[in-house]
Amino acid sequence: MPTHGTRACYVAGCRRPECRAANRAYNNHRNRMAAYGRPTTNLVDATPVREHVQALTAAGMGTRAIAEAAGVSRNTLRALLNGRGHRPPTQRLHPDTAEAILAVRPVPAAHALVDAAGTRRRVQALIVLGWSQAKLATRLGMKPTNFGDLLTLQQVTAATARAVAALYDQLWHVAPPEDTHRDRIAASRARRYAADRGWLPPMAWDDELLDLPDAELEAELERRARAMEDREVRAAQKAYSRGDRSPLIVAATREHYRRKAAQRRQRQAAA
């Protein structure tokens, strides 16, 4: 039963004086708004919210997880999706409820497959620091013989992606132990292995780029580079010449040479 003293409680069937008063106040306000030609409710269209919930469930989230993330009841979501009893699905929602549900981002189920680009880049970055595959496998609770698959797979389970991301958050700024001769050899081999493959360290990656699939990453880098001023792409080209291979530096360097070529063609055309 809703809280006494509210219109919701009156609509639910309660006829206590305070609930009747709340209903009268609501109707008086509604009538005044109608007389002034103003909207009689602050409720918003539920259609975009329903479509968002449907997209979340298609991504593998259950209604319980969505409700917990949004801070609403599962009954609210059930009514939104399917209606209640013989009633149709909810058509209008309170703005706060709509905003809370729309703010929920997809969290795939543990067994769902997700793009492995972010997982692969994180593992590579940690190996650049000197973390051996054996040490990383141990921290992830994996067999070393299976760990190498993380460097080649195109998809991993969401649970694996989250575990690698959590480990990366712990170690991205931490050097591996090198107290013993064996540890020093392992770290040296890891760094050499990464260097031979041109892998990038953690500092080369912006957080918002780390998980983009390869094609989306290239498009975003190109967009950012084209938005740079000439002085910025010149600075990027100088950083590249000093050995910086951060993705945005590489993209900005390409943009630098693209602009120089365009300028050269314009001079030739004007000659």
PDB file of all heavy atoms in Angstrom, residues 238-270:
ATOM      1  N   LYS A 238      55.921  16.074 -33.762  1.00  0.00           N
ATOM      2  CA  LYS A 238      57.206  16.132 -33.060  1.00  0.00           C
ATOM      3  C   LYS A 238      57.281  15.037 -31.998  1.00  0.00           C
ATOM      4  O   LYS A 238      58.331  14.409 -31.816  1.00  0.00           O
ATOM      5  CB  LYS A 238      57.392  17.510 -32.429  1.00  0.00           C
ATOM      6  CG  LYS A 238      57.603  18.631 -33.442  1.00  0.00           C
ATOM      7  CD  LYS A 238      57.762  19.978 -32.748  1.00  0.00           C
ATOM      8  CE  LYS A 238      57.966  21.091 -33.777  1.00  0.00           C
ATOM      9  NZ  LYS A 238      58.075  22.420 -33.127  1.00  0.00           N
ATOM     10  N   ALA A 239      56.166  14.813 -31.289  1.00  0.00           N
ATOM     11  CA  ALA A 239      56.144  13.746 -30.294  1.00  0.00           C
ATOM     12  C   ALA A 239      56.340  12.384 -30.964  1.00  0.00           C
ATOM     13  O   ALA A 239      57.040  11.515 -30.438  1.00  0.00           O
ATOM     14  CB  ALA A 239      54.817  13.781 -29.526  1.00  0.00           C
ATOM     15  N   TYR A 240      55.744  12.223 -32.130  1.00  0.00           N
ATOM     16  CA  TYR A 240      55.898  10.965 -32.873  1.00  0.00           C
ATOM     17  C   TYR A 240      57.357  10.762 -33.269  1.00  0.00           C
ATOM     18  O   TYR A 240      57.891   9.645 -33.175  1.00  0.00           O
ATOM     19  CB  TYR A 240      55.006  10.994 -34.118  1.00  0.00           C
ATOM     20  CG  TYR A 240      55.067   9.735 -34.943  1.00  0.00           C
ATOM     21  CD1 TYR A 240      54.197   8.673 -34.683  1.00  0.00           C
ATOM     22  CD2 TYR A 240      55.978   9.602 -35.990  1.00  0.00           C
ATOM     23  CE1 TYR A 240      54.253   7.517 -35.442  1.00  0.00           C
ATOM     24  CE2 TYR A 240      56.042   8.443 -36.746  1.00  0.00           C
ATOM     25  CZ  TYR A 240      55.171   7.408 -36.467  1.00  0.00           C
ATOM     26  OH  TYR A 240      55.240   6.255 -37.211  1.00  0.00           O
ATOM     27  N   SER A 241      58.007  11.842 -33.693  1.00  0.00           N
ATOM     28  CA  SER A 241      59.410  11.724 -34.109  1.00  0.00           C
ATOM     29  C   SER A 241      60.319  11.376 -32.939  1.00  0.00           C
ATOM     30  O   SER A 241      61.411  10.831 -33.131  1.00  0.00           O
ATOM     31  CB  SER A 241      59.875  13.025 -34.769  1.00  0.00           C
ATOM     32  OG  SER A 241      59.917  14.085 -33.818  1.00  0.00           O
ATOM     33  N   ARG A 242      59.849  11.668 -31.710  1.00  0.00           N
ATOM     34  CA  ARG A 242      60.625  11.313 -30.516  1.00  0.00           C
ATOM     35  C   ARG A 242      60.291   9.902 -30.019  1.00  0.00           C
ATOM     36  O   ARG A 242      60.818   9.475 -29.002  1.00  0.00           O
ATOM     37  CB  ARG A 242      60.360  12.330 -29.405  1.00  0.00           C
ATOM     38  CG  ARG A 242      60.897  13.735 -29.707  1.00  0.00           C
ATOM     39  CD  ARG A 242      60.885  14.604 -28.452  1.00  0.00           C
ATOM     40  NE  ARG A 242      59.529  14.833 -27.981  1.00  0.00           N
ATOM     41  CZ  ARG A 242      58.771  15.868 -28.331  1.00  0.00           C
ATOM     42  NH1 ARG A 242      59.254  16.777 -29.178  1.00  0.00           N
ATOM     43  NH2 ARG A 242      57.540  16.005 -27.853  1.00  0.00           N
ATOM     44  N   GLY A 243      59.389   9.216 -30.725  1.00  0.00           N
ATOM     45  CA  GLY A 243      59.104   7.833 -30.389  1.00  0.00           C
ATOM     46  C   GLY A 243      57.763   7.573 -29.745  1.00  0.00           C
ATOM     47  O   GLY A 243      57.447   6.426 -29.407  1.00  0.00           O
ATOM     48  N   ASP A 244      56.941   8.605 -29.552  1.00  0.00           N
ATOM     49  CA  ASP A 244      55.626   8.415 -28.938  1.00  0.00           C
ATOM     50  C   ASP A 244      54.694   7.765 -29.954  1.00  0.00           C
ATOM     51  O   ASP A 244      54.463   8.308 -31.036  1.00  0.00           O
ATOM     52  CB  ASP A 244      55.057   9.768 -28.495  1.00  0.00           C
ATOM     53  CG  ASP A 244      53.803   9.638 -27.633  1.00  0.00           C
ATOM     54  OD1 ASP A 244      53.132   8.589 -27.707  1.00  0.00           O
ATOM     55  OD2 ASP A 244      53.512  10.591 -26.884  1.00  0.00           O
ATOM     56  N   ARG A 245      54.147   6.602 -29.620  1.00  0.00           N
ATOM     57  CA  ARG A 245      53.249   5.892 -30.521  1.00  0.00           C
ATOM     58  C   ARG A 245      51.842   5.768 -29.940  1.00  0.00           C
ATOM     59  O   ARG A 245      51.100   4.839 -30.282  1.00  0.00           O
ATOM     60  CB  ARG A 245      53.819   4.507 -30.840  1.00  0.00           C
ATOM     61  CG  ARG A 245      55.123   4.538 -31.625  1.00  0.00           C
ATOM     62  CD  ARG A 245      54.955   5.195 -32.988  1.00  0.00           C
ATOM     63  NE  ARG A 245      56.175   5.165 -33.776  1.00  0.00           N
ATOM     64  CZ  ARG A 245      57.096   6.141 -33.780  1.00  0.00           C
ATOM     65  NH1 ARG A 245      56.903   7.214 -33.009  1.00  0.00           N
ATOM     66  NH2 ARG A 245      58.174   6.043 -34.514  1.00  0.00           N
ATOM     67  N   SER A 246      51.479   6.694 -29.082  1.00  0.00           N
ATOM     68  CA  SER A 246      50.112   6.714 -28.564  1.00  0.00           C
ATOM     69  C   SER A 246      49.139   6.837 -29.735  1.00  0.00           C
ATOM     70  O   SER A 246      49.427   7.541 -30.707  1.00  0.00           O
ATOM     71  CB  SER A 246      49.909   7.892 -27.610  1.00  0.00           C
ATOM     72  OG  SER A 246      50.815   7.819 -26.529  1.00  0.00           O
ATOM     73  N   PRO A 247      48.001   6.156 -29.668  1.00  0.00           N
ATOM     74  CA  PRO A 247      47.084   6.161 -30.818  1.00  0.00           C
ATOM     75  C   PRO A 247      46.713   7.548 -31.321  1.00  0.00           C
ATOM     76  O   PRO A 247      46.681   7.783 -32.531  1.00  0.00           O
ATOM     77  CB  PRO A 247      45.858   5.410 -30.277  1.00  0.00           C
ATOM     78  CG  PRO A 247      46.416   4.488 -29.247  1.00  0.00           C
ATOM     79  CD  PRO A 247      47.533   5.253 -28.598  1.00  0.00           C
ATOM     80  N   LEU A 248      46.437   8.486 -30.415  1.00  0.00           N
ATOM     81  CA  LEU A 248      46.051   9.815 -30.860  1.00  0.00           C
ATOM     82  C   LEU A 248      47.238  10.555 -31.471  1.00  0.00           C
ATOM     83  O   LEU A 248      47.075  11.323 -32.428  1.00  0.00           O
ATOM     84  CB  LEU A 248      45.466  10.620 -29.698  1.00  0.00           C
ATOM     85  CG  LEU A 248      44.846  11.972 -30.071  1.00  0.00           C
ATOM     86  CD1 LEU A 248      43.785  11.804 -31.152  1.00  0.00           C
ATOM     87  CD2 LEU A 248      44.249  12.641 -28.847  1.00  0.00           C
ATOM     88  N   ILE A 249      48.433  10.324 -30.966  1.00  0.00           N
ATOM     89  CA  ILE A 249      49.632  10.937 -31.540  1.00  0.00           C
ATOM     90  C   ILE A 249      49.835  10.433 -32.969  1.00  0.00           C
ATOM     91  O   ILE A 249      50.143  11.203 -33.892  1.00  0.00           O
ATOM     92  CB  ILE A 249      50.868  10.625 -30.681  1.00  0.00           C
ATOM     93  CG1 ILE A 249      50.765  11.328 -29.321  1.00  0.00           C
ATOM     94  CG2 ILE A 249      52.151  11.022 -31.398  1.00  0.00           C
ATOM     95  CD1 ILE A 249      50.804  12.839 -29.391  1.00  0.00           C
ATOM     96  N   VAL A 250      49.652   9.134 -33.168  1.00  0.00           N
ATOM     97  CA  VAL A 250      49.805   8.560 -34.509  1.00  0.00           C
ATOM     98  C   VAL A 250      48.763   9.144 -35.453  1.00  0.00           C
ATOM     99  O   VAL A 250      49.078   9.525 -36.587  1.00  0.00           O
ATOM    100  CB  VAL A 250      49.694   7.021 -34.445  1.00  0.00           C
ATOM    101  CG1 VAL A 250      49.685   6.420 -35.851  1.00  0.00           C
ATOM    102  CG2 VAL A 250      50.838   6.439 -33.629  1.00  0.00           C
ATOM    103  N   ALA A 251      47.513   9.220 -35.000  1.00  0.00           N
ATOM    104  CA  ALA A 251      46.449   9.755 -35.847  1.00  0.00           C
ATOM    105  C   ALA A 251      46.690  11.227 -36.166  1.00  0.00           C
ATOM    106  O   ALA A 251      46.473  11.670 -37.302  1.00  0.00           O
ATOM    107  CB  ALA A 251      45.098   9.579 -35.151  1.00  0.00           C
ATOM    108  N   ALA A 252      47.139  11.993 -35.179  1.00  0.00           N
ATOM    109  CA  ALA A 252      47.398  13.414 -35.409  1.00  0.00           C
ATOM    110  C   ALA A 252      48.582  13.611 -36.342  1.00  0.00           C
ATOM    111  O   ALA A 252      48.608  14.562 -37.137  1.00  0.00           O
ATOM    112  CB  ALA A 252      47.651  14.120 -34.082  1.00  0.00           C
ATOM    113  N   THR A 253      49.553  12.728 -36.284  1.00  0.00           N
ATOM    114  CA  THR A 253      50.691  12.807 -37.202  1.00  0.00           C
ATOM    115  C   THR A 253      50.242  12.559 -38.633  1.00  0.00           C
ATOM    116  O   THR A 253      50.671  13.259 -39.572  1.00  0.00           O
ATOM    117  CB  THR A 253      51.773  11.789 -36.798  1.00  0.00           C
ATOM    118  OG1 THR A 253      52.236  12.104 -35.479  1.00  0.00           O
ATOM    119  CG2 THR A 253      52.944  11.817 -37.761  1.00  0.00           C
ATOM    120  N   ARG A 254      49.384  11.565 -38.824  1.00  0.00           N
ATOM    121  CA  ARG A 254      48.829  11.339 -40.165  1.00  0.00           C
ATOM    122  C   ARG A 254      48.074  12.563 -40.650  1.00  0.00           C
ATOM    123  O   ARG A 254      48.178  12.949 -41.824  1.00  0.00           O
ATOM    124  CB  ARG A 254      47.891  10.125 -40.152  1.00  0.00           C
ATOM    125  CG  ARG A 254      48.589   8.787 -40.042  1.00  0.00           C
ATOM    126  CD  ARG A 254      47.664   7.656 -40.485  1.00  0.00           C
ATOM    127  NE  ARG A 254      46.474   7.572 -39.656  1.00  0.00           N
ATOM    128  CZ  ARG A 254      46.352   6.758 -38.614  1.00  0.00           C
ATOM    129  NH1 ARG A 254      47.359   5.956 -38.269  1.00  0.00           N
ATOM    130  NH2 ARG A 254      45.234   6.730 -37.908  1.00  0.00           N
ATOM    131  N   GLU A 255      47.317  13.193 -39.731  1.00  0.00           N
ATOM    132  CA  GLU A 255      46.580  14.395 -40.091  1.00  0.00           C
ATOM    133  C   GLU A 255      47.529  15.533 -40.448  1.00  0.00           C
ATOM    134  O   GLU A 255      47.261  16.318 -41.377  1.00  0.00           O
ATOM    135  CB  GLU A 255      45.661  14.805 -38.934  1.00  0.00           C
ATOM    136  CG  GLU A 255      44.896  16.098 -39.134  1.00  0.00           C
ATOM    137  CD  GLU A 255      43.892  16.035 -40.269  1.00  0.00           C
ATOM    138  OE1 GLU A 255      43.590  14.928 -40.758  1.00  0.00           O
ATOM    139  OE2 GLU A 255      43.409  17.119 -40.672  1.00  0.00           O
ATOM    140  N   HIS A 256      48.645  15.632 -39.746  1.00  0.00           N
ATOM    141  CA  HIS A 256      49.661  16.653 -40.036  1.00  0.00           C
ATOM    142  C   HIS A 256      50.150  16.518 -41.471  1.00  0.00           C
ATOM    143  O   HIS A 256      50.190  17.508 -42.233  1.00  0.00           O
ATOM    144  CB  HIS A 256      50.830  16.515 -39.060  1.00  0.00           C
ATOM    145  CG  HIS A 256      52.020  17.340 -39.411  1.00  0.00           C
ATOM    146  ND1 HIS A 256      52.053  18.712 -39.272  1.00  0.00           N
ATOM    147  CD2 HIS A 256      53.237  16.979 -39.914  1.00  0.00           C
ATOM    148  CE1 HIS A 256      53.227  19.178 -39.666  1.00  0.00           C
ATOM    149  NE2 HIS A 256      53.964  18.136 -40.055  1.00  0.00           N
ATOM    150  N   TYR A 257      50.502  15.311 -41.870  1.00  0.00           N
ATOM    151  CA  TYR A 257      51.014  15.102 -43.227  1.00  0.00           C
ATOM    152  C   TYR A 257      49.908  15.229 -44.274  1.00  0.00           C
ATOM    153  O   TYR A 257      50.157  15.655 -45.404  1.00  0.00           O
ATOM    154  CB  TYR A 257      51.705  13.747 -43.325  1.00  0.00           C
ATOM    155  CG  TYR A 257      53.051  13.726 -42.629  1.00  0.00           C
ATOM    156  CD1 TYR A 257      53.272  12.916 -41.525  1.00  0.00           C
ATOM    157  CD2 TYR A 257      54.087  14.550 -43.061  1.00  0.00           C
ATOM    158  CE1 TYR A 257      54.498  12.916 -40.864  1.00  0.00           C
ATOM    159  CE2 TYR A 257      55.322  14.560 -42.418  1.00  0.00           C
ATOM    160  CZ  TYR A 257      55.510  13.736 -41.318  1.00  0.00           C
ATOM    161  OH  TYR A 257      56.724  13.741 -40.678  1.00  0.00           O
ATOM    162  N   ARG A 258      48.674  14.895 -43.895  1.00  0.00           N
ATOM    163  CA  ARG A 258      47.562  15.082 -44.829  1.00  0.00           C
ATOM    164  C   ARG A 258      47.352  16.564 -45.129  1.00  0.00           C
ATOM    165  O   ARG A 258      47.163  16.952 -46.293  1.00  0.00           O
ATOM    166  CB  ARG A 258      46.281  14.494 -44.232  1.00  0.00           C
ATOM    167  CG  ARG A 258      45.093  14.476 -45.197  1.00  0.00           C
ATOM    168  CD  ARG A 258      43.785  14.194 -44.476  1.00  0.00           C
ATOM    169  NE  ARG A 258      43.396  15.300 -43.609  1.00  0.00           N
ATOM    170  CZ  ARG A 258      42.820  16.427 -44.048  1.00  0.00           C
ATOM    171  NH1 ARG A 258      42.582  16.597 -45.337  1.00  0.00           N
ATOM    172  NH2 ARG A 258      42.507  17.381 -43.207  1.00  0.00           N
ATOM    173  N   ARG A 259      47.444  17.395 -44.083  1.00  0.00           N
ATOM    174  CA  ARG A 259      47.273  18.835 -44.294  1.00  0.00           C
ATOM    175  C   ARG A 259      48.421  19.410 -45.102  1.00  0.00           C
ATOM    176  O   ARG A 259      48.210  20.279 -45.969  1.00  0.00           O
ATOM    177  CB  ARG A 259      47.164  19.536 -42.935  1.00  0.00           C
ATOM    178  CG  ARG A 259      45.901  19.188 -42.173  1.00  0.00           C
ATOM    179  CD  ARG A 259      45.812  19.939 -40.846  1.00  0.00           C
ATOM    180  NE  ARG A 259      44.723  19.427 -40.025  1.00  0.00           N
ATOM    181  CZ  ARG A 259      44.397  19.915 -38.833  1.00  0.00           C
ATOM    182  NH1 ARG A 259      45.081  20.940 -38.323  1.00  0.00           N
ATOM    183  NH2 ARG A 259      43.393  19.387 -38.147  1.00  0.00           N
ATOM    184  N   LYS A 260      49.631  18.944 -44.839  1.00  0.00           N
ATOM    185  CA  LYS A 260      50.775  19.435 -45.607  1.00  0.00           C
ATOM    186  C   LYS A 260      50.621  19.076 -47.083  1.00  0.00           C
ATOM    187  O   LYS A 260      50.918  19.896 -47.965  1.00  0.00           O
ATOM    188  CB  LYS A 260      52.074  18.847 -45.060  1.00  0.00           C
ATOM    189  CG  LYS A 260      52.489  19.399 -43.704  1.00  0.00           C
ATOM    190  CD  LYS A 260      53.888  18.962 -43.314  1.00  0.00           C
ATOM    191  CE  LYS A 260      54.937  19.563 -44.225  1.00  0.00           C
ATOM    192  NZ  LYS A 260      56.312  19.245 -43.766  1.00  0.00           N
ATOM    193  N   ALA A 261      50.153  17.873 -47.365  1.00  0.00           N
ATOM    194  CA  ALA A 261      49.954  17.455 -48.756  1.00  0.00           C
ATOM    195  C   ALA A 261      48.872  18.300 -49.425  1.00  0.00           C
ATOM    196  O   ALA A 261      48.997  18.691 -50.596  1.00  0.00           O
ATOM    197  CB  ALA A 261      49.587  15.974 -48.805  1.00  0.00           C
ATOM    198  N   ALA A 262      47.791  18.591 -48.673  1.00  0.00           N
ATOM    199  CA  ALA A 262      46.716  19.412 -49.222  1.00  0.00           C
ATOM    200  C   ALA A 262      47.212  20.821 -49.520  1.00  0.00           C
ATOM    201  O   ALA A 262      46.872  21.412 -50.559  1.00  0.00           O
ATOM    202  CB  ALA A 262      45.548  19.450 -48.240  1.00  0.00           C
ATOM    203  N   GLN A 263      48.014  21.367 -48.627  1.00  0.00           N
ATOM    204  CA  GLN A 263      48.570  22.703 -48.852  1.00  0.00           C
ATOM    205  C   GLN A 263      49.488  22.723 -50.067  1.00  0.00           C
ATOM    206  O   GLN A 263      49.505  23.678 -50.854  1.00  0.00           O
ATOM    207  CB  GLN A 263      49.322  23.155 -47.604  1.00  0.00           C
ATOM    208  CG  GLN A 263      48.421  23.427 -46.401  1.00  0.00           C
ATOM    209  CD  GLN A 263      49.211  23.593 -45.119  1.00  0.00           C
ATOM    210  OE1 GLN A 263      50.437  23.479 -45.100  1.00  0.00           O
ATOM    211  NE2 GLN A 263      48.504  23.847 -44.014  1.00  0.00           N
ATOM    212  N   ARG A 264      50.258  21.648 -50.233  1.00  0.00           N
ATOM    213  CA  ARG A 264      51.175  21.557 -51.375  1.00  0.00           C
ATOM    214  C   ARG A 264      50.390  21.508 -52.685  1.00  0.00           C
ATOM    215  O   ARG A 264      50.758  22.171 -53.666  1.00  0.00           O
ATOM    216  CB  ARG A 264      52.064  20.327 -51.222  1.00  0.00           C
ATOM    217  CG  ARG A 264      53.168  20.229 -52.263  1.00  0.00           C
ATOM    218  CD  ARG A 264      54.260  19.253 -51.836  1.00  0.00           C
ATOM    219  NE  ARG A 264      53.706  17.947 -51.451  1.00  0.00           N
ATOM    220  CZ  ARG A 264      53.690  17.483 -50.205  1.00  0.00           C
ATOM    221  NH1 ARG A 264      54.182  18.214 -49.203  1.00  0.00           N
ATOM    222  NH2 ARG A 264      53.176  16.302 -49.930  1.00  0.00           N
ATOM    223  N   ARG A 265      49.297  20.760 -52.695  1.00  0.00           N
ATOM    224  CA  ARG A 265      48.472  20.688 -53.906  1.00  0.00           C
ATOM    225  C   ARG A 265      47.842  22.045 -54.222  1.00  0.00           C
ATOM    226  O   ARG A 265      47.732  22.430 -55.391  1.00  0.00           O
ATOM    227  CB  ARG A 265      47.392  19.627 -53.734  1.00  0.00           C
ATOM    228  CG  ARG A 265      47.908  18.196 -53.766  1.00  0.00           C
ATOM    229  CD  ARG A 265      46.768  17.195 -53.910  1.00  0.00           C
ATOM    230  NE  ARG A 265      45.869  17.217 -52.777  1.00  0.00           N
ATOM    231  CZ  ARG A 265      46.024  16.496 -51.676  1.00  0.00           C
ATOM    232  NH1 ARG A 265      47.090  15.688 -51.564  1.00  0.00           N
ATOM    233  NH2 ARG A 265      45.151  16.546 -50.695  1.00  0.00           N
ATOM    234  N   GLN A 266      47.455  22.776 -53.171  1.00  0.00           N
ATOM    235  CA  GLN A 266      46.868  24.095 -53.403  1.00  0.00           C
ATOM    236  C   GLN A 266      47.895  25.053 -53.991  1.00  0.00           C
ATOM    237  O   GLN A 266      47.573  25.822 -54.892  1.00  0.00           O
ATOM    238  CB  GLN A 266      46.333  24.647 -52.065  1.00  0.00           C
ATOM    239  CG  GLN A 266      45.076  23.951 -51.557  1.00  0.00           C
ATOM    240  CD  GLN A 266      44.648  24.472 -50.191  1.00  0.00           C
ATOM    241  OE1 GLN A 266      45.361  25.250 -49.556  1.00  0.00           O
ATOM    242  NE2 GLN A 266      43.460  24.050 -49.739  1.00  0.00           N
ATOM    243  N   ARG A 267      49.127  25.002 -53.508  1.00  0.00           N
ATOM    244  CA  ARG A 267      50.176  25.884 -54.067  1.00  0.00           C
ATOM    245  C   ARG A 267      50.469  25.532 -55.513  1.00  0.00           C
ATOM    246  O   ARG A 267      50.661  26.424 -56.361  1.00  0.00           O
ATOM    247  CB  ARG A 267      51.442  25.764 -53.211  1.00  0.00           C
ATOM    248  CG  ARG A 267      51.334  26.409 -51.832  1.00  0.00           C
ATOM    249  CD  ARG A 267      52.710  26.574 -51.209  1.00  0.00           C
ATOM    250  NE  ARG A 267      53.373  25.278 -51.002  1.00  0.00           N
ATOM    251  CZ  ARG A 267      53.278  24.562 -49.877  1.00  0.00           C
ATOM    252  NH1 ARG A 267      52.541  25.032 -48.861  1.00  0.00           N
ATOM    253  NH2 ARG A 267      53.911  23.416 -49.758  1.00  0.00           N
ATOM    254  N   GLN A 268      50.492  24.235 -55.798  1.00  0.00           N
ATOM    255  CA  GLN A 268      50.766  23.826 -57.179  1.00  0.00           C
ATOM    256  C   GLN A 268      49.653  24.254 -58.113  1.00  0.00           C
ATOM    257  O   GLN A 268      49.903  24.646 -59.259  1.00  0.00           O
ATOM    258  CB  GLN A 268      50.956  22.306 -57.214  1.00  0.00           C
ATOM    259  CG  GLN A 268      52.217  21.817 -56.532  1.00  0.00           C
ATOM    260  CD  GLN A 268      52.273  20.316 -56.407  1.00  0.00           C
ATOM    261  OE1 GLN A 268      51.284  19.620 -56.624  1.00  0.00           O
ATOM    262  NE2 GLN A 268      53.439  19.794 -56.038  1.00  0.00           N
ATOM    263  N   ALA A 269      48.399  24.157 -57.607  1.00  0.00           N
ATOM    264  CA  ALA A 269      47.266  24.558 -58.442  1.00  0.00           C
ATOM    265  C   ALA A 269      47.249  26.060 -58.708  1.00  0.00           C
ATOM    266  O   ALA A 269      46.811  26.526 -59.762  1.00  0.00           O
ATOM    267  CB  ALA A 269      45.959  24.138 -57.780  1.00  0.00           C
ATOM    268  N   ALA A 270      47.762  26.833 -57.713  1.00  0.00           N
ATOM    269  CA  ALA A 270      47.774  28.281 -57.851  1.00  0.00           C
ATOM    270  C   ALA A 270      48.942  28.778 -58.700  1.00  0.00           C
ATOM    271  O   ALA A 270      48.941  29.920 -59.154  1.00  0.00           O
ATOM    272  CB  ALA A 270      47.836  28.930 -56.470  1.00  0.00           C
TER     273      ALA A 270
END
